């Protein structure tokens, strides 16, 4: 059988006989000599078949793209003029002695040389994955998981599996439910994460745990989300937040050093409040030099209510982004950015072009200048450090809307105007709020098992809205690679957090009784972090979507074109599960 991979043959194999297996990447018939580019997962090698080997030549003359072949031949050096320095095998070729067709292939439903729709690529994923780009991404992903496992095992972590069929956990998305045949009318839930089980493992004395695990969330999808995704789950006992951050930072730095030859350096720390104030995001891309500058203090006295209203409101915000060279933006472009922030609830986008500071008011251009006095204008220009040729873009309104709208605009401007600087900019975002308020009640910003930074139950009870959590997110280039926290390890604190979240004791006992019971028995302090493996690999290989680093992903409607999943269950299956559906099984699914 096979002696070598196609892509791993080089000059050290000269004059050796090899047997290769792979697919025809390209066939060329040049003056009676047939050239076949044979491809396997490791790369491409050139095979030469000449008429002297009649049987092999006849076979080679009949092959087409994506035929599966075996080739036996001798490795020889290419003529110096034909060396291809862009290929790892470009200095050699295989002089074929035998060519065997293992399987033929008809005309492909995918075009190797043109863009195919994502629906086509996913329907014929087994063909799409043969493309070197996709093959290499899956190989890279495998290398990532291999390094992760070695690193964690070298640091005394145990690889322990946790259940897939379990109870619902509060992770902020809908659960996928699995009906039980033996417990009629009852359901398992697929885990959104192994959160409670990894905490129970710490209570079990496992000390250091990791798992590369599938997680499931029934939520609206986008480029970096899938209904099933892979998480690198890490949990430790007797380590504080700093200890978890130190070891996981070392892990990511090792991945980048070994696989990309990149030194990420030390990761700076930034509070959630600072990140939102300066960048309008809790996962800021530090390659983008644009920042949000608060200018409300310069506008409290003016009569222009659009600015002075939120400037004088404790829950309002007036902020500006100074865009270097932005004075060249056309009115049409500015209006388009105004429409863009409107998606985030902003009512408009005020602007001032700074054409020439030395000319004072005459050097500025804006329809809002007539509403501002010299004091306000000078204060704004000073705060934003505006220079000739810049433009100031303003947001005014309630704090959350302005922050989100300008934060999104900052990202778009950075991309549109090619402002990003540097290749990799990591950081830790810390000091998150413990809770967020919505619908008149408190909700856990991360999850309800996150410990507050101040361990005093009394302080948490007296001022929960101002409480900070002992949580931390690792961010790289505007992508949250992973998030974690110190966990609550006393029953009293956990009960108090449930109370503040409006979870009555009866509900808490029903959903989390096993956790509350376990907390009674000498629970150690513990903390952890979970990385999104798909996001990490997506970022490292430069893909646009996590679907491009997963072998068999779903579409953005959570469907699988390859297998046709999800599908209808037959009536007998539903009967066994004691389930009735509201969908008439006799009707076509697309007609509902």
């Amino acid at each position: 059988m096979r002696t070598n991979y196609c892509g791993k043959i080089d000059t050290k194999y000269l004059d050796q006989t090899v047997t290769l297996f792979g697919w025809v990447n390209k066939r060329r018939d040049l003056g009676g000599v047939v050239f076949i580019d044979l491809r396997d997962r490791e790369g491409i090698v050139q095979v030469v078949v000449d008429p002297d080997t009649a049987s092999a030549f006849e076979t080679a003359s009949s092959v087409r793209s994506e035929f599966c072949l075996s080739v036996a031949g001798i490795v020889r050096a290419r003529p110096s003029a034909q060396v291809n320095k862009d290929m790892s095998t470009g200095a050699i070729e295989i002089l074929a002695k035998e060519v065997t067709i293992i399987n033929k292939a008809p005309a492909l439903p995918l075009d190797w040389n043109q863009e195919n729709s994502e629906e086509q690529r996913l329907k014929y994923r087994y063909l799409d994955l043969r493309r070197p780009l996709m093959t290499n991404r899956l190989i890279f992903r495998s290398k990532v998981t291999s390094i992760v496992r070695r690193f964690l095992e070298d640091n005394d972590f145990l690889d322990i599996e946790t259940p897939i069929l379990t109870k619902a956990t509060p992770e902020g998305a809908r659960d996928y439910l699995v009906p039980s045949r033996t417990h009629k009318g009852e359901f398992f839930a697929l885990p959104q994460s192994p959160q409670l089980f990894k905490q129970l493992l710490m209570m079990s004395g496992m000390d250091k745990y990791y798992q590369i695990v599938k997680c499931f969330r029934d939520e609206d999808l986008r480029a970096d989300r899938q209904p099933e995704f892979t998480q690198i789950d890490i949990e430790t006992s007797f380590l504080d937040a700093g200890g978890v951050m130190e070891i996981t930072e070392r892990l990511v730095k090792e991945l980048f050093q070994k696989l990309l030859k990149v030194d990420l350096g030390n990761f700076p720390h930034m509070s959630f409040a600072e990140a939102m104030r300066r960048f309008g995001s809790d996962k800021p891309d530090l390659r983008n030099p644009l920042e949000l500058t608060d200018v409300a203090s310069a506008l409290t006295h003016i009569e222009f209510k659009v600015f002075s209203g939120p400037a004088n409101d404790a829950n309002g915000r007036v902020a500006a982004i100074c865009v270097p060279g932005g004075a060249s933006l056309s009115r049409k472009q500015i209006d388009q950015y105004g429409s863009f922030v409107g998606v985030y609830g902003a009512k408009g986008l005020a602007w001032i072009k700074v054409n020439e500071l030395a000319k004072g008011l005459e050097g500025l251009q804006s329809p809002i200048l007539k509403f501002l006095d010299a004091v306000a204008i000078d204060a704004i220009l000073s705060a934003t450090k505006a220079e000739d040729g810049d433009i100031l873009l303003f947001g005014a309104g309630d704090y959350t809307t302005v922050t989100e709208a300008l934060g999104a605009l900052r990202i778009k401007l950075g991309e549109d105007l090619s402002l990003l600087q540097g290749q990799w900019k990591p950081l830790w975002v810390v000091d998150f709020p413990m809770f967020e308020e919505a619908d008149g009640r408190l909700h856990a910003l991360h999850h309800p098992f996150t410990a507050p930074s101040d361990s005093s139950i009394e302080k948490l009870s007296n001022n929960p809205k101002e409480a900070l959590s002992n949580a931390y997110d690792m961010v790289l280039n505007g992508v949250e690679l992973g998030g974690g926290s110190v966990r609550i390890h006393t029953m009293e604190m956990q009960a108090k957090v449930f109370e503040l979240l409006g979870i009555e004791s009866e509900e808490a006992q029903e959903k989390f009784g096993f956790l509350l019971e376990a907390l009674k028995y000498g629970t150690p302090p513990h903390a952890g972090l979970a990385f999104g493996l798909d996001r990490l690999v997506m970022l490292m290989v430069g893909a646009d979507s996590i679907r491009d680093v997963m072998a068999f992903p779903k579409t953005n409607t959570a469907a699988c074109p390859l297998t046709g999943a999800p599908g209808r269950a037959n009536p007998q299956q539903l009967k066994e599960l004691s389930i009735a559906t509201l969908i008439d099984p006799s009707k076509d699914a697309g007609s509902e």
Side-chain angles (χ1 to χ4, degrees):
M1 296 295 284
R2 177 172 59 195
T3 61
N4 302 81
Y5 279 112
C6 297
K8 289 194 170 181
I9 299 178
D10 56 24
T11 53
K12 68 174 174 285
Y13 293 98
L14 287 175
D15 301 322
Q16 293 186 27
T17 298
V18 296
T19 301
L20 311 176
F21 289 81
W23 289 266
V24 177
N25 198 67
K26 184 186 296 184
R27 183 188 69 88
R28 306 180 304 281
D29 192 336
L30 303 178
V33 177
V34 175
F35 292 86
I36 296 173
D37 288 347
L38 194 66
R39 185 193 70 245
D40 60 19
R41 78 174 204 196
E42 296 296 336
I44 296 173
V45 68
Q46 179 171 280
V47 177
V48 181
V49 192
D50 63 37
D52 292 342
T53 51
S55 176
F57 185 78
E58 181 180 356
T59 302
S61 299
S62 68
V63 305
R64 298 291 182 269
S65 292
E66 296 309 305
F67 277 31
C68 185
L69 305 182
S70 71
V71 172
I74 298 172
V75 182
R76 71 181 188 185
R78 288 198 197 188
S80 57
Q82 297 176 18
V83 170
N84 186 342
K85 295 181 179 179
D86 295 327
M87 293 175 61
S88 60
T89 61
I92 59 91
E93 60 190 13
I94 311 299
L95 179 61
K97 298 302 180 183
E98 297 177 15
V99 177
T100 303
I101 296 174
I102 297 173
N103 253 318
K104 297 181 179 181
L108 300 182
L110 295 182
D111 190 326
W112 250 233
N113 300 312
Q114 296 181 18
E115 289 295 324
N116 299 287
S117 71
E118 185 171 65
E119 187 82 9
Q120 287 176 297
R121 290 178 55 210
L122 295 184
K123 183 175 182 179
Y124 299 100
R125 190 62 161 182
Y126 45 88
L127 295 178
D128 187 47
L129 292 178
R130 289 185 193 174
R131 295 189 300 131
L133 174 68
M134 296 302 297
T135 300
N136 290 336
R137 284 174 175 174
L138 290 190
I139 291 173
F140 188 94
R141 181 185 175 117
S142 177
K143 291 178 180 177
V144 168
T145 57
S146 178
I147 292 172
V148 167
R149 290 185 186 281
R150 287 200 302 272
F151 177 92
L152 292 173
E153 287 162 7
D154 287 346
N155 283 273
D156 300 323
F157 283 81
L158 303 176
D159 181 359
I160 306 176
E161 294 181 345
T162 54
I164 293 297
L165 296 177
T166 181
K167 288 187 71 171
T169 57
E171 298 287 336
R174 288 180 294 272
D175 291 296
Y176 278 101
L177 299 179
V178 179
S180 170
R181 180 182 58 82
T182 54
H183 299 274
K184 303 296 185 184
E186 298 184 357
F187 296 82
F188 295 102
L190 302 182
Q192 296 187 34
S193 85
Q195 182 61 46
L196 296 183
F197 286 107
K198 63 188 178 187
Q199 290 189 241
L200 290 170
L201 284 170
M202 296 303 102
M203 299 171 194
S204 305
M206 293 301 102
D207 187 44
K208 289 183 175 181
Y209 140 95
Y210 87 94
Q211 185 180 188
I212 298 178
V213 60
K214 280 287 187 185
C215 301
F216 307 86
R217 297 183 185 180
D218 185 6
E219 59 185 348
D220 295 332
L221 306 180
R222 56 180 188 241
D224 60 348
R225 286 185 177 175
Q226 280 279 289
E228 53 179 316
F229 58 95
T230 305
Q231 192 166 282
I232 304 170
D233 210 42
I234 298 170
E235 196 79 6
T236 69
S237 296
F238 310 114
L239 272 186
D240 58 12
V244 173
M245 292 162 76
E246 186 274 333
I247 198 166
T248 52
E249 182 176 319
R250 278 198 291 118
L251 167 59
V252 170
K253 287 165 71 171
E254 183 163 320
L255 283 170
F256 273 76
Q257 184 65 56
K258 286 188 173 180
L259 294 176
L260 299 181
K261 309 303 180 188
V262 168
D263 181 2
L264 290 177
N266 293 324
F267 293 22
H269 290 210
M270 181 182 297
S271 71
F272 170 88
E274 181 182 355
M276 296 302 292
R277 175 177 56 81
R278 293 175 58 191
F279 306 110
S281 171
D282 62 356
K283 49 180 184 295
D285 186 347
L286 297 187
R287 297 173 303 164
N288 187 336
L290 301 181
E291 294 194 21
L292 282 59
T293 302
D294 287 300
V295 293
S297 60
L299 301 165
T300 55
H301 65 284
I302 66 173
E303 296 183 5
F304 187 41
K305 296 299 183 183
V306 172
F307 279 178
S308 63
N312 286 288
D313 184 347
N315 296 315
R317 186 176 193 186
V318 186
I321 298 176
C322 180
V323 184
S328 62
L329 292 174
S330 68
R331 184 59 185 268
K332 180 180 179 181
Q333 289 174 302
I334 296 171
D335 289 343
Q336 288 173 339
Y337 287 126
S339 299
F340 175 81
V341 297
V343 174
Y344 296 87
K347 296 179 180 178
L349 187 66
W351 54 274
I352 298 176
K353 287 188 176 184
V354 183
N355 295 322
E356 193 172 346
L357 283 171
K359 290 185 177 180
L361 192 60
E362 291 184 1
L364 306 179
Q365 178 186 352
S366 172
I368 68 168
L369 288 174
K370 58 187 175 184
F371 302 114
L372 306 177
D373 58 27
V375 173
I377 292 171
D378 287 346
I380 290 170
L381 294 175
S382 175
T384 58
K385 298 181 174 59
E387 298 180 356
D388 290 351
D390 295 348
I391 190 172
L392 302 177
L393 302 174
F394 296 86
D398 71 87
Y399 189 93
T400 300
T401 299
V402 170
T403 301
E404 290 182 355
L406 290 186
L409 178 61
R410 171 184 175 269
I411 295 171
K412 184 167 179 57
L413 287 166
E415 294 171 349
D416 290 353
L417 305 180
S418 301
L419 299 176
L420 303 188
Q421 302 170 359
Q423 187 176 10
W424 303 104
K425 290 292 180 71
L427 80 155
W428 286 103
V429 178
V430 298
D431 296 333
F432 285 84
M434 185 80 178
F435 306 107
E436 55 185 349
E437 190 171 14
D439 305 321
R441 56 175 290 185
L442 296 179
H443 300 266
L445 191 66
H446 279 79
H447 55 64
F449 316 108
T450 299
S453 293
D454 191 318
S455 59
S456 165
I457 293 178
E458 182 180 0
K459 288 184 179 179
L460 182 64
S461 302
N462 291 340
N463 198 3
K465 293 182 183 180
E466 300 300 319
L468 298 179
S469 66
N470 203 346
Y472 34 84
D473 282 358
M474 183 188 290
V475 177
L476 182 63
N477 291 4
V479 175
E480 179 193 327
L481 290 186
S485 66
V486 173
R487 322 302 188 187
I488 295 169
H489 70 279
T490 67
M491 187 178 65
E492 294 78 13
M493 177 61 80
Q494 188 64 75
K496 173 54 65 176
V497 170
F498 283 158
E499 177 188 324
L500 292 171
L501 293 172
I503 300 174
E504 301 292 340
S505 58
E506 185 176 331
E507 181 185 359
Q509 193 63 37
E510 178 189 351
K511 290 183 175 179
F512 313 112
F514 61 94
L515 177 71
L516 295 173
E517 177 73 12
L519 284 169
K520 297 178 182 177
Y521 299 105
T523 298
H526 55 287
L529 182 144
F531 289 109
L533 174 62
D534 312 297
R535 288 186 186 181
L536 175 61
V537 176
M538 176 187 76
L539 200 62
M540 294 182 76
V541 302
D544 295 324
S545 165
I546 63 171
R547 292 191 288 275
D548 283 336
V549 296
M550 303 171 77
F552 299 104
K554 306 294 189 291
T555 66
N556 59 9
T557 60
C560 177
L562 173 64
T563 63
R568 296 262 178 94
N570 66 50
Q572 182 59 35
Q573 287 176 307
L574 295 176
K575 184 178 179 180
E576 289 180 352
L577 296 169
S578 300
I579 290 176
T581 73
L582 299 177
I583 304 298
D584 184 345
S586 66
K587 293 183 179 180
D588 184 86
S591 65
E592 304 301 337

